[in-house]
Amino acid sequence: MPIKLLFQMSVRNILRHRRRNGMMLAAVVVAVAAVVMMNSLIRGMQQDMADAAVENLVGHVKVLAPGYRDDPGIQKNFELASDWRPPDGVPEVAGWAMRVRVPAVIMSERGTRGIQFVGVNPQQEGISFLSSAHMTGESLKDASDGRIIIGQALAEQLETGLGRRLVIITQGADGLNREAGFRIAGLYDADGEGMEKFFVFTGVGALQKMVGADVFTELSIRLHQEPALFVLKETLVELFTGLEVLDWRELEPQAAAMFIFADAAVLIWFFVMMGALVFGLVNTLVTSVMERIRELGMLRAVGMRPRSVVAQVVIESSVLMLIGVAAGIAGGLAGILAMGDGLDLSAWSEGVQSFGMRTLLRPVPLADDVLLIAFLSLGLGVVASLYPAWRAIKIKPLEALRR
Amino acid sequence: MSGVSNGVVVDCAGVSRTYQEDAVPVHALRSVDFEFSRGDFVSLSGPSGSGKSTLLNLIGGLDRADAGTISVDGVVVDGLSESELSDMRLHKIGFVFQSYNLIPVLSAQENVEFIMQLQGVAPAERAERAVETLASLGIGELAHRRPGELSGGQQQRVAIARAIVTHPVLLLADEPSANLDSATTEELLKLLRRLNDDRGISILTATHDPMVMGYAKRRVVLRDGAIVEDSAN
Amino acid sequence: MAEISAEIPTSRRSAGLPASVLAIAWRNLWRNPRRTWLMAGSIGFAIWMLSFSFALQKGAFDVMTDNGAQLWIGHAQIQHPDFEDEPLLENVIADVPHLRRAVEALDGVLTAAPRAEAAALVSAGERSFGALAVGVEAAAEAQWSGLAGAVAAGRYLDGPGQAFVGAAMARNLGISVGDELVMLGTAKEGGVAAAVAEVAGVFSTGSAALDRSLALIPIADFRSAWNLAPDEAHRLVVVVDDVGEALDTAQAAAGAAAPWRVLDWQALMPEIKQFIDLKLAGLYFLFAIIAIIVTFSVVNAFLMTLFERTAEFGMLKAIGMRPGSILGQLQCEALLLWVLGVLLGVGVALGLVLWLEAVGMPMPIDPNEVMPGLNMPDRIHPSMGWGVASVACLTLLAGTQLALLVPAVRLRRLNCVEALRTQE
């Protein structure tokens, strides 16, 4: 039987019961739209965590001295020319930063806190959160600026403010403790309080002078596009023999693992939704077959092959799903548009931030995901039509006509 | 008893009914006058579209006339609300349909009891009356079978039992023999005639089956929405 | 022949439902067993989905909160009103022994232990790190604190002049059991606080934050170094029998008039509480969508039923049954369908939960790698959430009954003459 005729008959059968098939379509649309929206939110969450991990002084790739991760301190350092730049062959480099990062204790007359003391070159920090964080007071002028920038939350804890002096104690390159006073140039306001309490910045030159060594503890490189990461890593491994070259997934296993979780969550959502849908779909299709017992029996009697009967039911289901999926994706995208800038999760801010997410959850629809959802849904349509199709070919022409 | 001393059960005066079929008005009944006395057995006949079913439906309160007045058992039905019409059908009229229309999930006896349940008859009385009625129609031993397990003639007897068990003023039968063979039809008609003769049940039937017309006492023929013949058998 | 009245008798029960309506509904359901099973299946699926996934989550949450509380935080804490927001050294609670006796005298309180704490610079030899120095009462803590049991080397505190530090800190400082360390900080009313202690033991909890930053010393040593009075502390940590009533119990102990603040584990670990809430919000959204889908399916099924039984409904209407009564009949059918769905859904969920409760469900990824701070076990033992299961059941009861609105409208408009004609 020509496929065109089968297709025509299927479409007309759908149109024959508009209310019923309309209701079924509505269910498909709701399910697909919800999956598309949820999927984009999960992707948004994922990207958020990756961005936060990358911005959080990590970068896409970091070069560290061996042992620094276990025992972060000035002893685990490496030398690098201050005008070092990545080799020209590496694509998509957004920027790089050479830093000294050491554990330290900061003291005001009101309190004492453990912190990470980071020496930076402000001109290079376009790649980290430091450049985008809201700043009260002044930023650091250059690499030799001997003032400090501390987080808003830390300033409150230490009951200190702009222009005041704080004492910082850290270990020098010779293993002896160094103590020095620093004036506060600015207060930064980061997305999470955790960061504000954790990082204190100064000029990298000033910190090198304090610890007494013209060295760095980390080189962080950020890319425009994540896919270039592999090339970059290869190049750096060759360049820095004897040093550790790690990407953000290795540096932030928590964020990387959440990535895998999110990938799984996308599929779980899909299958749960479709699980709910499939009962109604099978019911609709079986009913449509059972109502047409006489008709199908007649078609069999005049010589329609079982194969064509199966094809008719499968096509009917597929057409139904195709329309539903198209409308569902449109609905889902409309829902995403309606979310505008994103969902405000500030009611859960601490819980959200402890996962390295922002409080504003932006939906990120990915074409690949939408296509996957579409194909899986159509596949489900075919699978759901198998039982009704089997039921249809079981119809015996004579019996059906006698009804 | 009140208000119906003259024995008129149905009185139709100037009844018209027009349907819109694809925007074309179809005059199913044109100003029909019709009277039906207690204890009568009338057959309405005529070709398809003559208006016999329409007249039956109007008298049964299933449809409303566009003009004219219909009164059943002294009550003018024109102004009744939907629920008043429901009650009228429930208490005054017994219906026998062409396709029997028994409730498939209920046994014969339960089908007969069902209508009394709607009326609020007490369970013991219900069962007693149902058994008695089924027995009087010769299908007492089939009381516990479901419609699917009964032949067409048997199902139609159950339907008649359901229609008369409530002692209606009027039994309406729309093409009662359409799905039956002639032997079964004959049995059914004998039964209806016996009910009419022995118990005085008033029967109005729409039919195109000459055999049915032969058993009726009075024969009314319609054509194009008007009564063209009205004669006693 | 019975007497016939010219009045139309409107019997009181004529609009009501016959007594056997449930029986009829039940038989009607089995006129199309396939459809009934499909619909009960979809209702059951929705109930199962919510009950079971909630049970899984609850299993994980219980462990998270319990571990969080049992490890270090406790079920509730009594603090200076400002201490939680401003953990300053001078924000102490006074007269602690008296308060402690009052708390421990309460029903359901297992123990109450005082703690004092301050940020400190911990040094060993030439290395120094920022840390949180905590003075604890070793004997009381050892009774319940998971931290006291997480000994990686050496032993827990059992005498003065000792310290119990995290494994990461020990590694960073390059120290091991028996070594000496120095803690430096700012004492109460200014001045330098200094304490020297010998490392009695090293703990490893799996929580990076605790292992890196905590250094425990006896509270008496802390008080003398940081210049606190012997009856002063920063937290009185309360451990109770029933976690659900932790706050009430502690609140009762502290008394309404006292200048103290009582925080339960939810307030002390807001990130866990919020994480749970966020997860639940997602779960409820998922369920809402599924409930909508299932309701659509049920509407559809009833529309089909109506379509197939048009003649029957027409007959019922013709013999005098009111549309409301016919709808009542359908409502009974929907109710029975729902009951079947509930039995299926709750049954399957309960079976799975009971089985997993016994054997435990392995996690796809080792959660401690993902969320070290939350201390998740690698197996989850779910427990049935009856509250959520009832929410799911009631939502779907509403859904299945609402699903009848569409057929109800059609039923009211049903013309019996046409309806009866559909079968010819």
Side-chain angles (χ1 to χ4, degrees):
Chain A
M1 213 167 162
I3 191 86
K4 192 183 160 206
L5 184 60
L6 280 175
F7 188 79
Q8 258 179 3
M9 284 175 69
S10 303
V11 171
R12 286 186 193 166
N13 277 324
I14 291 174
L15 290 176
R16 200 149 77 174
H17 292 286
R18 278 168 220 204
R19 186 177 288 102
R20 170 204 302 169
N21 288 311
M23 198 65 76
M24 193 60 233
L25 270 181
V28 177
V29 170
V30 168
V32 172
V35 170
V36 167
M37 277 198 280
M38 208 55 205
N39 175 69
S40 76
L41 284 176
I42 292 172
R43 292 298 182 206
M45 207 179 285
Q46 231 177 358
Q47 193 163 321
D48 241 27
M49 287 187 297
D51 283 356
V54 168
E55 274 182 24
N56 178 12
L57 299 193
V58 172
H60 283 101
V61 178
K62 229 177 197 184
V63 180
L64 299 167
Y68 180 86
R69 280 209 295 163
D70 276 339
D71 180 11
I74 190 64
Q75 279 84 11
K76 304 289 191 287
N77 62 51
F78 55 92
E79 288 180 21
L80 198 59
S82 56
D83 58 352
W84 180 89
R85 50 185 306 117
D88 291 335
V90 182
E92 302 283 1
V93 171
W96 65 94
M98 287 127 67
R99 309 186 186 110
V100 176
R101 175 167 156 183
V102 291
V105 171
I106 193 163
M107 295 193 290
S108 72
E109 52 274 35
R110 308 291 301 168
T112 305
R113 298 278 138 184
I115 50 133
Q116 291 278 305
F117 196 25
V118 190
V120 295
N121 179 349
Q123 277 75 41
Q124 292 178 336
E125 291 299 330
I127 64 167
S128 70
F129 76 93
L130 201 54
S131 61
S132 57
H134 180 260
M135 191 77 73
T136 316
E138 285 176 45
S139 302
L140 294 173
K141 276 201 305 288
D142 53 38
S144 60
D145 195 328
R147 299 173 299 166
I148 55 171
I149 289 176
I150 71 170
Q152 204 73 256
L154 182 65
E156 280 161 28
Q157 282 187 327
L158 294 174
E159 296 185 32
T160 186
L162 280 180
R164 308 271 288 277
R165 279 180 75 84
L166 295 173
V167 173
I168 294 179
I169 304 171
T170 189
Q171 209 174 17
D174 53 8
L176 297 174
N177 277 346
R178 304 289 167 86
E179 187 176 322
F182 291 87
R183 190 169 299 282
I184 300 173
L187 303 176
Y188 68 87
D189 187 359
D191 209 25
E193 284 209 346
M195 274 208 291
E196 291 179 20
K197 289 177 184 167
F198 199 52
F199 291 116
V200 173
F201 299 94
T202 187
V204 66
L207 184 50
Q208 283 171 335
K209 206 181 288 168
M210 179 179 177
V211 297
D214 198 8
V215 292
F216 296 96
T217 62
E218 65 182 51
L219 164 66
S220 166
I221 299 177
R222 187 158 178 196
L223 300 166
H224 289 300
Q225 297 278 327
E226 167 133 8
L229 193 134
F230 188 69
V231 183
L232 173 67
K233 222 176 137 183
E234 292 278 277
T235 318
L236 293 178
V237 166
E238 263 177 51
L239 211 59
F240 295 101
T241 42
L243 296 182
E244 279 189 306
V245 178
L246 301 165
D247 63 39
W248 69 270
R249 285 167 204 269
E250 295 164 300
L251 291 163
E252 298 277 313
Q254 179 173 345
M258 285 310 261
F259 241 70
I260 303 169
F261 260 147
D263 282 344
V266 169
L267 284 178
I268 291 171
W269 267 81
F270 176 82
F271 282 109
V272 169
M273 291 288 180
M274 294 300 150
L277 197 62
V278 80
F279 295 95
L281 187 58
V282 171
N283 182 31
T284 306
L285 294 170
V286 170
T287 304
S288 144
V289 166
M290 298 314 276
E291 273 173 9
R292 298 209 305 266
I293 281 189
R294 279 173 65 99
E295 179 189 322
L296 288 168
M298 183 272 291
L299 288 172
R300 290 294 307 280
V302 301
M304 189 179 187
R305 290 195 181 167
R307 211 173 53 193
S308 300
V309 174
V310 171
Q312 211 186 327
V313 178
V314 173
I315 290 173
E316 191 173 324
S317 170
S318 304
V319 169
L320 207 57
M321 281 308 265
L322 194 69
I323 302 169
V325 166
I329 289 175
L333 293 178
I336 290 169
L337 275 182
M339 281 184 228
D341 290 338
L343 293 183
D344 187 6
L345 300 183
S346 45
W348 299 286
S349 58
E350 283 165 74
V352 167
Q353 282 165 3
S354 71
F355 281 85
M357 284 160 51
R358 296 191 179 86
T359 49
L360 190 69
L361 180 55
R362 273 172 313 120
V364 178
L366 297 182
D368 282 359
D369 283 351
V370 172
L371 274 180
L372 181 73
I373 292 167
F375 278 117
L376 285 177
S377 310
L378 291 178
L380 182 99
V382 172
V383 171
S385 64
L386 292 182
Y387 168 72
W390 173 79
R391 197 63 202 73
I393 52 174
K394 258 183 46 184
I395 295 169
K396 298 211 169 55
L398 258 183
E399 267 173 52
L401 286 175
R402 216 179 288 141
R403 282 204 177 198
Chain B
M1 287 244 221
S2 62
V4 277
S5 50
N6 58 359
V8 173
V9 177
V10 176
D11 187 2
C12 301
V15 172
S16 295
R17 180 77 175 97
T18 306
Y19 298 106
Q20 293 292 328
E21 217 157 81
D22 299 327
V24 180
V26 176
H27 300 285
L29 288 178
R30 300 165 194 258
S31 190
V32 168
D33 298 320
F34 175 68
E35 245 188 42
F36 183 99
S37 310
R38 186 172 309 285
D40 214 348
F41 183 170
V42 177
S43 72
L44 295 172
S45 57
S48 293
S50 61
K52 58 184 191 299
S53 288
T54 305
L55 186 56
L56 202 70
N57 290 335
L58 287 172
I59 294 170
L62 295 175
D63 196 2
R64 286 173 189 276
D66 298 317
T69 305
I70 302 171
S71 64
V72 176
D73 199 25
V75 175
V76 178
V77 299
D78 310 343
L80 295 183
S81 72
E82 277 301 317
S83 33
E84 285 168 330
L85 274 180
S86 284
D87 277 336
M88 184 197 83
R89 294 198 295 265
L90 179 60
H91 293 278
K92 299 208 168 199
I93 294 173
F95 284 98
V96 174
F97 306 100
Q98 173 180 343
S99 318
Y100 333 128
N101 282 306
L102 299 172
I103 301 171
V105 295
L106 297 183
S107 69
Q109 185 181 332
E110 285 168 330
N111 263 289
V112 176
E113 279 191 47
F114 184 82
I115 193 157
M116 290 186 280
Q117 282 182 292
L118 291 178
Q119 289 183 330
V121 177
E125 187 191 340
R126 234 157 51 200
E128 194 192 316
R129 274 164 66 181
V131 168
E132 189 188 273
T133 308
L134 286 170
S136 75
L137 297 184
I139 45 170
E141 73 282 8
L142 303 176
H144 299 293
R145 293 210 193 160
R146 292 202 188 174
E149 301 159 339
L150 296 172
S151 73
Q154 290 165 338
Q155 287 189 57
Q156 198 58 298
R157 277 168 190 248
V158 176
I160 291 169
R162 178 178 67 188
I164 63 171
V165 76
T166 57
H167 308 301
V169 179
L170 179 62
L171 180 68
L172 293 179
D174 191 4
E175 304 280 6
S177 63
N179 291 336
L180 302 177
D181 59 41
S182 50
T184 319
T185 303
E186 182 132 31
E187 274 178 46
L188 175 83
L189 290 168
K190 280 181 180 157
L191 174 69
L192 287 177
R193 185 65 188 253
R194 207 184 74 218
L195 290 171
N196 179 253
D197 287 342
D198 301 354
R199 302 206 202 168
I201 295 175
S202 312
I203 301 172
L204 178 60
T205 169
T207 184
H208 55 254
D209 185 345
M211 215 193 288
V212 179
M213 299 172 214
Y215 271 87
K217 287 181 182 163
R218 177 178 154 204
R219 173 173 166 165
V220 175
V221 182
L222 288 102
R223 190 177 300 268
D224 297 328
I227 294 176
V228 294
E229 189 192 327
D230 190 345
S231 59
N233 258 355
Chain C
M1 204 169 152
E3 295 216 331
I4 294 162
S5 150
E7 301 296 311
I8 295 170
T10 40
S11 51
R12 292 165 311 280
R13 291 178 52 193
S14 70
L17 294 169
S20 58
V21 67
L22 266 179
I24 298 176
W26 181 250
R27 290 184 201 171
N28 276 332
L29 274 190
W30 300 108
R31 281 163 83 169
N32 196 334
R34 182 174 28 230
R35 178 176 302 155
T36 298
W37 280 123
L38 280 170
M39 287 306 107
S42 90
I43 295 168
F45 177 84
I47 293 173
W48 168 79
M49 201 289 305
L50 190 70
S51 314
F52 183 65
S53 45
F54 183 83
L56 273 188
Q57 296 283 7
K58 191 168 178 288
F61 297 160
D62 283 353
V63 169
M64 273 163 65
T65 53
D66 228 47
N67 276 14
Q70 294 280 356
L71 183 64
W72 177 241
I73 305 277
H75 293 127
Q77 295 186 356
I78 301 173
Q79 303 176 356
H80 183 276
D82 298 331
F83 187 76
E84 185 65 15
D85 304 319
E86 283 179 279
L88 299 176
L89 192 64
E90 56 264 39
N91 285 343
V92 291
I93 43 175
D95 203 11
V96 171
H98 181 247
L99 179 62
R100 181 183 183 183
R101 271 196 302 280
V103 172
E104 283 186 332
L106 285 167
D107 269 355
V109 173
L110 295 179
T111 174
R115 283 183 196 157
E117 63 186 53
L121 182 72
V122 178
S123 318
E126 286 156 357
R127 297 192 177 196
S128 308
F129 282 92
L132 188 70
V134 186
V136 297
E137 195 168 276
E141 299 270 340
Q143 284 175 27
W144 65 273
S145 160
L147 195 85
V151 178
R155 61 185 193 281
Y156 192 59
L157 301 173
D158 58 5
Q162 294 179 348
F164 188 57
V165 300
M169 181 187 291
R171 198 171 55 235
N172 287 343
L173 286 170
I175 52 172
S176 55
V177 176
D179 290 347
E180 192 169 86
L181 52 76
V182 178
M183 298 183 187
L184 285 172
T186 315
K188 200 175 167 196
E189 284 137 21
V192 174
V196 181
E198 184 196 318
V199 178
V202 173
F203 63 83
S204 175
T205 60
S207 156
L210 294 181
D211 290 353
R212 190 190 297 135
S213 65
L214 277 191
L216 273 52
I217 58 173
I219 194 164
D221 294 359
F222 186 95
R223 283 174 179 141
S224 68
W226 268 267
N227 208 9
L228 296 186
D231 69 341
E232 286 179 335
H234 291 113
R235 307 170 192 262
L236 187 65
V237 182
V238 183
V239 181
V240 295
D241 266 342
D242 184 351
V243 181
E245 289 169 15
L247 185 64
D248 292 344
T249 309
Q251 207 96 49
W260 299 308
R261 181 165 172 204
V262 181
L263 298 130
D264 66 355
W265 65 268
Q266 297 190 338
L268 291 163
M269 300 183 285
E271 68 286 352
I272 291 186
K273 170 84 169 64
Q274 289 174 352
F275 172 70
I276 292 174
D277 287 351
L278 190 63
K279 276 289 227 189
L280 285 183
L283 203 58
Y284 279 121
F285 176 70
L286 180 75
F287 176 69
I289 298 291
I290 287 178
I292 291 173
I293 295 173
V294 168
T295 300
F296 278 167
S297 303
V298 175
V299 171
N300 223 3
F302 274 104
L303 276 175
M304 293 171 193
T305 298
L306 197 67
F307 182 77
E308 289 159 1
R309 280 158 59 188
T310 300
E312 183 182 327
F313 293 134
M315 178 276 291
L316 289 174
K317 225 174 158 180
I319 65 169
M321 197 167 176
R322 299 245 184 107
S325 302
I326 302 176
L327 184 65
Q329 179 75 56
L330 283 172
Q331 276 174 317
C332 272
E333 287 177 31
L335 185 77
L336 289 175
L337 192 61
W338 172 78
V339 169
L340 270 182
V342 167
L343 290 178
L344 271 180
V346 173
V348 173
L350 192 63
L352 264 174
V353 167
L354 287 179
W355 178 60
L356 286 175
E357 207 171 0
V359 303
M361 188 172 122
M363 303 275 285
I365 307 174
D366 181 9
N368 290 312
E369 211 170 282
V370 185
M371 293 163 280
L374 297 178
N375 291 296
M376 308 249 286
D378 60 347
R379 267 170 187 271
I380 286 181
H381 295 266
S383 52
M384 190 75 185
W386 290 108
V388 168
S390 355
V391 168
C393 292
L394 291 178
T395 311
L396 285 162
L397 176 62
T400 44
Q401 291 294 319
L402 275 179
L404 286 172
L405 280 182
V406 184
V409 172
R410 301 203 67 203
L411 211 52
R412 202 157 280 282
R413 285 208 213 112
L414 187 74
N415 176 320
C416 17
V417 178
E418 281 166 25
L420 282 165
R421 211 176 280 147
T422 54
Q423 65 193 347
E424 283 160 25

